Amino acid sequence: MQRFRLTLLLSLALNGTITSQALVISPSRIRNNKENREGRKGTSSLPTPQHNRTNDALRALSRNITSLLENLLKDYDSNHHPGYDSGSPTVVKSNILVRSMGPFSEHRMDYSMDCYFRQSWQDRRLSFNGPIETLSLSIKMLEGIWKPDTFIYNGKKSYLHTITTPNKLLRINKDGSILYSVRLTIKAKCSMDLREFPMDHQSCPLILGSYSYTKDDVIYVWDEDQGVKFLGDVELSQFDLISSPYRNASISRKRELYSVLQVSFNLRRKQGYFLIQVYVPCILIVVLSWVSFWLNREATSDRINLGITTVLTLSTLAIDTRTDLPKVHYATALDWFIFITFGYCMASLIQFASVHYFTKIGSGENYQTQEISVLHRRLMEINRSSSCEPDDGRIMTTDFADWEKLGAELPQLFSAAPVASIPPVPPSTPSGNDEEKTFLQTNVQAILEEIKLSIEISDEDDEDGGATNSKAKMRTNRRHHSSSCMKQLYYCLIANDSFRAKRKRRALAKGNIINSVSKIDSVSRVLFPVTFSIINVIYWWGFIAQNNDFTWKHLDHYKFY
């Protein structure tokens, strides 16, 4: 049996027939034979006739391979493509096997991928006869044959793997078909539109073609069976790979058409990171700013500190979210959300400023003192007009019952607790008579009635717009309700002092002085959460439910001259 195998190998070698199996197995057989000879040194040191015949067959086979390669490259012109003599273009079939992808950088506008790039074409000048189909050759053979000058149109920095040797593969079939495969790491440009960030969909292209051969010389086509494939599941940190459509296309360059291959990696961004790091904190900060609506209007420092803290926190968060994004001239979806939350925090702060300025009563402030000081000045004027001496700002009266009556009248006038800040009673003076005492008592009562009447009239004007009967009041309220609201808003904006005084007197008349709740706070407790919820529904529905159908990008963007 062994003699038959040696005879077959020798006959094939002498007849010029080569097998790839013989090329692969021959070195191992030589090593095995060497080991066997060394193992049998103790028994026999002389080579056997069988070993001599095997070595002769291998040497003859090696000489036959060398002559075959020399014949293939004899008169071969590597400067022309295979279809040059016939005038037909050379068709280059390609496919890509993607090993891994990423990262995708929004800041640099590019992405990376590790892949096997395979090209196959037919060169009949390299065809040979024999019983085998494929011949594997060293990559040094590439230096002597024609190969397509493929490059990446949107490439930035790609390289060939060279560890431990250049990762290339070359196979030639007996009909002249050539398979050329390399392992590449590609970094390609990917122009991203970040207006919908972080709920965006991106399409990153990869465009391949010949650098110098036009469509009349070389035509690139995708392999129908392979095309673009992935080695296992591709896991990306920030994106989900939706699809990877590919097509054959042409690009106009230097006034001529060039054949190109185009593949688009369609991606959908994952939103989990941004929900945890940005959206949820922003919503919680806005909700925290609403806590001030449940704090009494007298807690000035607490509400101001809370409002300023939420605004500063949102400002810091907004700056931090922009560090990894390019400085684009438009606002992203994330920017709009931060603007909305920032606006609500500012509105909460401005809301308390309105409450504090127009409706706050109490907190150590006693607005009754102002009315009493007016009363005191009027009494002094009466004192001077009655020629009472001395004229030093003191009210000269010997009847303390007048002051007691004044202290009892004022609480009824303002419907509040007894006033503690009544002007000090001046020391009694022995001078005076009954006529003066009667005059002062009469004028004190007139002043009290005058102040009471003015307050009643102002309250009546606020309540029913000056109507004198119930029917007129109902008609006036219906007719002037909207105008009254606009008028009050106008008074608030211009900080009208008389309007503010009316508000203060009305609050005093109701008796809600300390730890009171403003109507503005009551409305804000409902208005702010409801409007914020509606805006959030519109925001999320508008960005998520939109149409994101894939469309091919125009290749004119990748022209160069």
Side-chain angles (χ1 to χ4, degrees), residues 357-358 491 494-505:
Y357 188 80
F358 295 107
Y491 288 154
I494 66 174
N496 187 276
D497 292 334
S498 61
F499 175 74
R500 189 184 183 196
K502 292 178 182 179
R503 301 285 294 181
K504 293 174 184 176
R505 286 195 294 268

Side-chain angles (χ1 to χ4, degrees), residues 5-6 8-27 29-30 53-69 132 135:
R5 290 178 180 176
L6 292 173
L8 179 59
L9 287 173
L10 184 58
S11 62
L12 290 175
L14 295 176
N15 292 332
T17 306
I18 304 170
T19 61
S20 60
Q21 291 83 355
L23 294 176
V24 177
I25 299 174
S26 298
R29 287 182 177 178
I30 293 174
R53 288 192 297 270
T54 303
N55 293 334
D56 293 339
L58 293 175
R59 283 193 295 269
L61 185 60
S62 177
R63 288 193 301 269
N64 196 287
I65 293 172
T66 303
S67 62
L68 175 63
L69 295 177
I132 59 175
L135 181 63

